[in-house]
Amino acid sequence: MTADLSFDYIIVGAGSAGCVLANRLSADPKMRVCLVEAGGSDKNLRVRVPAGILSLYGDKTYDYGYMGVPQPELNNRAIPVNRGKGLGGSSTINSMIYIRGHAGDYDDWAALGCAGWGYDDVLPVFKDLERNVLGQDPAYHGTEGELLVDNQRDPNPVSRLFVEAAATQGITPNDDFNGAEQFGAGIYNVTQKKGSRYNSFRAFVEPIRSRPNLTILTKAESRRLVLDGNRVSGLVIAREGREETLTCRGEVVLSAGAIGSPALMLASGIGPGAALKAAGRTVHHDLPGVGQNLRDHIDGMITTRSGSRMTLGLSVPNLPAILASPLRYFGMRRGMLTTNYVEAGGFARTRYADDRPDIQFHFVPGYRSHRGRVVEYGHGYAIHTCVLRPRSVGELRPQGNGTGFEIDHRFFTDEADARVLVEGIRIARSIFAAPQLDAIRGKEMLPGDKVQSDDEILAYLRAEALTVFHPVGTCKMGTDPMAVVDPRDLKVQGIANLRVADASIMPTLIGGNTNAPSMMIGERAARAMRAAGKDTRNAA
């Protein structure tokens, strides 16, 4: 038990942004910092070994395993919302892909009223965080930061065939999606160290966790904020079977992600007044944007069964290689256990695109089950295609008079998303039809040869589309009436001593994976907080 439960800063969530904040804020030895995490340790081989990712999704130890409400435009299916639980947050269960998004995405933020968030503003922050060991262009990459960015140790040869096949369709090879040009196909750079997962906790907190002014509370569920009028003075947590109150002399920062951060505010009576009242909750502060503006990358898959053992797969002929894989991994950091499964991919334009790619590919050099199983017998390959800037906007809303909530993506409520994804599936099929894949060609299991017209592809997507787990926007920054935080400092509108720093503050969804952008947001928040603290001390 912690004797003194009073702190200068309390950070809710030890994920991508929260770990950056814990590092930066605890660098001042005068400040007592508490990092609160509902999950436990990340020290598990299934977390550290890249191929272990398949065993993490749906495991309640590491995954909250939320489920959205039935989606009318997706045949009333409830869509899973996998979010990381434990030190490292979602960076503990993600695919370790290092992507920042398109430069234009950040310029869009600035144009929406978020001054200081344009690409020229955020690029130096990305560089400061990065320890790039690939010798990539220093105009876009840093080498002195904590987050190690490397090549995959031993990508499957089929992943390179995918890159060659994409080139036949005009999607040119690209070995740096974070450089001057995002468009193209290539093997993804990853956040790994010597073939091992390098999540936000390993990068930013593990090296400094012995700081005497840093307290890390694990298996501590955040229940509600303590409010004195419109001022936050603490946090109620539950651990070891009882509730405790953490007292905050300074500020509480919500870094629990696009689901956890708005959920905690709603549980504390901060949010849309009418919705809170309808759920039977007391309204402490009517802030209409909390939980609104939910956006995510909707995704469709093509999966092909192949007889080629070049691909990853579970089969009797492949059994010797499977049995030898631990020796190859722990001896040389090589072999199939180094895979993150979505080894290759890229960015392309449909005919609906503007000046930037509007779809992203995640290529799997192994068979993805046509029945939704985690593991399926046999060999093959698959490709996921997602809509990068969906126009459909959902919400997270309170449910009942406790801490419950509902996640409603409202996928395909804007028909433009369906049109983009249908064409994305067509482009992905054209890549798979290229001669470079002739040697491993097999039977398309999903959508299947009989699915050819736009209407047929759309019907398939309504029946099978999921997400690539990039929810954002539910505590968006901005200057309009639905903004939750101020873009200057990420302070919550109308509430003192409370900030939000995670993917929930994104006003729109960036074109790419959201792990690295969340770290950038954490860094920006930490800089604003340290500057504010310095100004306060100087004034005193």
Side-chain angles (χ1 to χ4, degrees):
M1 300 292 290
T2 302
D4 185 356
L5 295 178
S6 62
F7 302 93
D8 295 292
Y9 298 122
I10 297 173
I11 304 161
V12 180
S16 301
C19 286
V20 176
L21 278 155
N23 178 300
R24 302 304 191 241
L25 297 179
S26 65
D28 184 346
K30 297 178 181 177
M31 297 289 109
R32 292 197 72 227
V33 178
C34 184
L35 180 62
V36 181
E37 171 56 45
S41 172
D42 68 333
K43 290 186 178 179
N44 185 290
L45 281 177
R46 292 188 294 138
V47 171
R48 298 296 173 92
V49 177
I53 185 176
L54 286 185
S55 71
L56 300 176
Y57 289 124
D59 183 332
K60 293 182 180 179
T61 301
Y62 299 104
D63 181 3
Y64 282 101
Y66 301 121
M67 189 68 70
V69 301
Q71 297 293 287
E73 300 299 323
L74 299 183
N75 296 354
N76 285 318
R77 289 183 297 121
I79 305 301
V81 185
N82 300 109
R83 307 311 300 148
K85 182 180 182 181
L87 296 174
S90 291
S91 72
T92 290
I93 67 170
N94 70 357
S95 297
M96 297 156 278
I97 295 171
Y98 183 74
I99 294 288
R100 300 172 181 167
H102 195 279
D105 298 330
Y106 299 100
D107 291 337
D108 286 349
W109 292 3
L112 288 170
C114 301
W117 289 88
Y119 183 65
D120 289 342
D121 302 302
V122 302
L123 177 59
V125 184
F126 278 117
K127 291 170 64 176
D128 287 347
L129 292 169
E130 183 185 12
R131 180 152 47 101
N132 187 293
V133 298
L134 301 173
Q136 291 174 322
D137 189 345
Y140 299 96
H141 294 280
T143 58
E144 303 298 323
E146 292 90 346
L147 184 66
L148 199 147
V149 177
D150 200 354
N151 283 322
Q152 296 173 52
R153 296 283 288 193
D154 199 7
N156 187 283
V158 172
S159 294
R160 301 196 186 280
L161 292 181
F162 165 79
V163 177
E164 295 171 10
T168 68
Q169 304 306 305
I171 305 170
T172 51
N174 188 344
D175 61 4
D176 184 5
F177 296 118
N178 303 297
E181 175 61 63
Q182 187 187 60
F183 178 85
I187 307 294
Y188 283 123
N189 297 151
V190 289
T191 52
Q192 294 180 4
K193 182 177 183 179
K194 296 180 180 178
S196 175
R197 177 186 294 274
Y198 208 64
N199 64 8
S200 60
F201 184 78
R202 290 187 71 188
F204 295 98
V205 178
E206 202 168 61
I208 56 94
R209 67 180 306 171
S210 61
R211 287 175 179 169
N213 62 325
L214 175 62
T215 298
I216 302 172
L217 299 181
T218 57
K219 298 183 179 179
E221 179 186 346
S222 296
R223 290 286 178 85
R224 61 189 177 276
L225 298 164
V226 178
L227 289 162
D228 296 330
N230 279 6
R231 174 181 174 275
V232 172
S233 60
L235 175 72
V236 176
I237 64 171
R239 60 174 179 150
E240 299 178 357
R242 66 177 187 177
E243 286 192 347
E244 297 176 288
T245 298
L246 310 181
T247 302
C248 186
R249 294 183 290 269
E251 295 183 84
V252 174
V253 190
L254 305 186
S255 295
I259 306 301
S261 289
L264 184 58
M265 280 204 276
L266 294 172
S268 307
I270 303 171
L276 288 169
K277 288 178 182 177
R281 302 186 191 182
T282 301
V283 180
H284 287 290
H285 179 55
D286 186 357
L287 192 57
V290 175
Q292 302 302 298
N293 193 48
L294 173 63
R295 301 165 191 250
D296 202 348
H297 289 138
I298 190 167
D299 175 269
M301 179 181 73
I302 299 172
T303 186
T304 299
R305 193 182 277 283
S306 168
S308 173
R309 285 191 289 129
M310 282 180 64
T311 66
L312 299 171
L314 176 64
S315 66
V316 172
N318 204 37
L319 193 57
I322 293 172
L323 294 175
S325 61
L327 293 175
R328 291 205 68 200
Y329 180 79
F330 292 106
M332 299 178 290
R333 288 292 197 268
R334 301 287 177 185
M336 63 180 66
L337 291 183
T338 65
T339 186
N340 69 337
Y341 294 101
V342 286
E343 294 182 353
F347 298 84
R349 297 183 183 92
T350 71
R351 58 195 168 103
Y352 305 107
D354 50 21
D355 61 336
R356 67 195 85 157
D358 59 347
I359 55 172
Q360 181 179 3
F361 300 121
H362 292 88
F363 175 76
V364 182
Y367 186 59
R368 289 299 310 272
S369 173
H370 60 288
R371 294 179 284 196
R373 296 178 177 177
V374 174
V375 178
E376 182 86 36
Y377 185 84
H379 292 264
Y381 49 95
I383 187 169
H384 292 268
T385 305
C386 71
V387 179
L388 286 177
R389 294 171 195 84
R391 297 184 183 180
S392 301
V393 179
E395 68 172 352
L396 185 147
R397 53 182 176 260
Q399 181 188 43
N401 58 8
T403 61
F405 55 86
E406 292 181 334
I407 302 169
D408 186 358
H409 287 95
R410 296 178 184 151
F411 285 128
F412 280 177
T413 51
D414 191 310
E415 293 180 0
D417 298 341
R419 290 195 296 268
V420 171
L421 192 50
V422 166
E423 184 166 343
I425 293 293
R426 289 195 177 280
I427 295 172
R429 270 181 163 170
S430 73
I431 296 171
F432 274 17
Q436 282 75 9
L437 299 179
D438 283 349
I440 61 170
R441 192 163 306 286
K443 180 182 179 181
E444 182 183 287
M445 303 298 291
L446 289 177
D449 293 340
K450 293 182 179 180
V451 176
Q452 294 296 330
S453 71
D454 285 359
D455 287 345
E456 289 167 341
I457 295 173
L458 179 56
Y460 162 71
L461 292 171
R462 292 191 191 281
E464 299 288 345
L466 295 169
T467 86
V468 283
F469 313 124
H470 296 153
V472 308
T474 48
C475 299
K476 76 167 189 174
M477 62 178 170
T479 55
D480 63 280
M482 294 301 289
V484 175
V485 299
D486 191 316
R488 294 172 296 181
D489 48 24
L490 304 186
K491 289 184 177 181
V492 174
Q493 308 277 11
I495 297 288
N497 300 344
L498 181 64
R499 304 191 199 218
V500 182
D502 55 33
S504 71
I505 66 105
M506 296 183 185
T508 56
L509 183 52
I510 58 104
N513 308 70
T514 52
N515 181 39
S518 296
M519 294 179 182
M520 179 273 293
I521 290 167
E523 176 71 19
R524 287 288 300 265
R527 292 182 183 184
M529 293 173 71
R530 294 194 67 180
K534 187 179 295 184
D535 290 345
T536 300
R537 289 192 293 273
N538 288 341

